[in-house]
């Protein structure tokens, strides 16, 4: 059975701290790994990773994929209260064609205190 | 870019009513759209995948006669929950993607409450 496991499930930090969120996966037909940020509404796209070892950065956020260890991390440096959200990791499956179903982890709830 | 609009954002209706939710890609052509369901404190669960002009592919355990999906154009997909009952109350989210190695982009979701 395809699965995506995120850890920790929740995390409380103070502003300015650096956090690392983890995502491991076991899937039969990997296509890509995606990170999303979900606040009160629907997820917003952060990163899409397809190759091992290539770090993607966007401001204070960065992410990297290890396809040998079936693992990805999302780093947030100098956290701010606005970073408080649920961070979702999803693996896109390669079904051929253009389908690309996503298997989501349960998410990591990050709370950043002032 | 890559904006997905979902409407309505909130529905409250009586048991037995059918409810239609629209999902539109505003600035790109969505060759594939996805419909998810999310229960409180749980992750998104894929319900069905639809390609423009084709019948939707439903995940195991999702009743296709209960959840009717239409993807009539490259910018619009609809989910109709037929004869909704209280157990159908949930947060429904659509996503859309274009061809190639592109991420799915999500709508803001529809919170459905069946009384």
């Amino acid at each position: 059975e395809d699965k995506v496991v995120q850890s920790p499930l929740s995390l409380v930090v103070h502003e300015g701290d650096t956090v690392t969120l983890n995502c491991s996966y076991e899937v039969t037909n990997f296509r890509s790994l995606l990170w999303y940020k979900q606040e009160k509404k629907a997820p917003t796209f952060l990163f899409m990773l397809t190759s091992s070892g290539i770090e993607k950065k966007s401001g204070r956020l960065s992410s990297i994929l290890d396809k040998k260890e079936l693992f990805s991390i999302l780093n947030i440096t100098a956290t701010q209260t606005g970073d408080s959200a649920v961070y979702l990791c999803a693996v896109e499956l390669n079904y051929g064609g253009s389908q690309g179903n996503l298997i989501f982890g349960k998410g990591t709830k990050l709370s950043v205190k002032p | 870019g890559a904006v997905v609009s979902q409407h309505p954002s909130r529905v409250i209706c009586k048991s037995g009513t059918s409810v239609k939710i629209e999902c539109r890609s505003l600035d790109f052509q969505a060759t594939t759209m996805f419909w998810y369901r999310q229960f409180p404190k749980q992750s998104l669960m894929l319900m069905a995948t639809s390609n423009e002009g084709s019948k939707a592919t439903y995940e195991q355990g999702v009743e296709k006669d209960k959840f009717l999906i239409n993807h009539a154009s490259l910018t619009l997909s609809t989910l109709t929950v037929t004869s909704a009952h209280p157990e159908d109350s949930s947060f429904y989210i659509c996503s859309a993607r274009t061809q190639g190695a592109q991420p799915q982009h999500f709508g803001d979701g529809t919170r459905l409450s069946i009384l």
Side-chain angles (χ1 to χ4, degrees):
Chain A
E1 183 187 347
D2 297 325
K3 63 179 180 180
V4 176
V5 178
Q6 291 185 247
S7 65
L9 291 180
S10 72
L11 189 56
V12 180
V13 300
H14 287 95
E15 271 193 316
D17 288 350
T18 293
V19 297
T20 298
L21 309 183
N22 305 300
C23 177
S24 64
Y25 61 92
E26 288 181 36
V27 300
T28 52
N29 210 343
F30 176 90
R31 184 174 185 177
S32 63
L33 185 144
L34 298 94
W35 284 96
Y36 289 88
K37 177 182 181 182
Q38 185 175 26
E39 295 173 90
K40 290 186 178 177
K41 294 186 176 180
T44 53
F45 170 72
L46 295 175
F47 298 111
M48 183 177 189
L49 304 158
T50 53
S51 302
S52 274
I54 300 173
E55 186 182 48
K56 293 214 171 179
K57 283 181 73 77
S58 176
R60 297 176 292 104
L61 278 67
S62 63
S63 183
I64 196 162
L65 173 67
D66 184 337
K67 289 169 75 172
K68 184 178 175 184
E69 297 296 325
L70 309 184
F71 193 83
S72 175
I73 59 172
L74 174 69
N75 278 322
I76 308 175
T77 59
T79 52
Q80 301 171 358
T81 55
D83 295 326
S84 297
V86 175
Y87 289 84
L88 296 171
C89 172
V91 170
E92 183 181 25
L93 305 181
N94 189 1
Y95 276 40
S98 62
Q99 296 238 348
N101 294 357
L102 290 180
I103 306 294
F104 279 89
K106 290 188 175 181
T108 294
K109 184 177 180 181
L110 175 66
S111 299
V112 181
K113 296 194 176 299
Chain B
V3 177
V4 175
S5 172
Q6 189 173 338
H7 178 80
S9 58
R10 175 91 192 196
V11 180
I12 302 172
C13 58
K14 291 182 179 180
S15 186
T17 308
S18 290
V19 178
K20 183 189 251 185
I21 303 170
E22 289 190 350
C23 180
R24 293 180 185 272
S25 58
L26 298 185
D27 52 359
F28 65 101
Q29 292 189 327
T31 50
T32 308
M33 286 185 163
F34 303 82
W35 288 95
Y36 294 85
R37 185 171 179 176
Q38 187 176 33
F39 290 104
K41 299 189 179 180
Q42 294 192 23
S43 193
L44 284 80
M45 296 297 293
L46 180 67
M47 298 175 64
T49 303
S50 72
N51 290 301
E52 182 262 339
S54 303
K55 285 187 178 179
T57 302
Y58 290 81
E59 294 299 298
Q60 196 170 16
V62 178
E63 298 175 58
K64 59 182 179 183
D65 294 331
K66 173 81 173 173
F67 299 100
L68 301 178
I69 290 171
N70 183 281
H71 189 168
S73 77
L74 283 171
T75 59
L76 174 65
S77 176
T78 60
L79 167 68
T80 301
V81 184
T82 60
S83 187
H85 291 286
E87 59 266 28
D88 298 323
S89 298
S90 191
F91 190 53
Y92 293 86
I93 311 175
C94 73
S95 72
R97 57 171 288 184
T98 188
Q99 277 188 322
Q102 297 296 324
Q104 291 181 28
H105 294 279
F106 287 82
D108 278 342
T110 297
R111 188 159 300 283
L112 177 63
S113 300
I114 307 298
L115 305 177

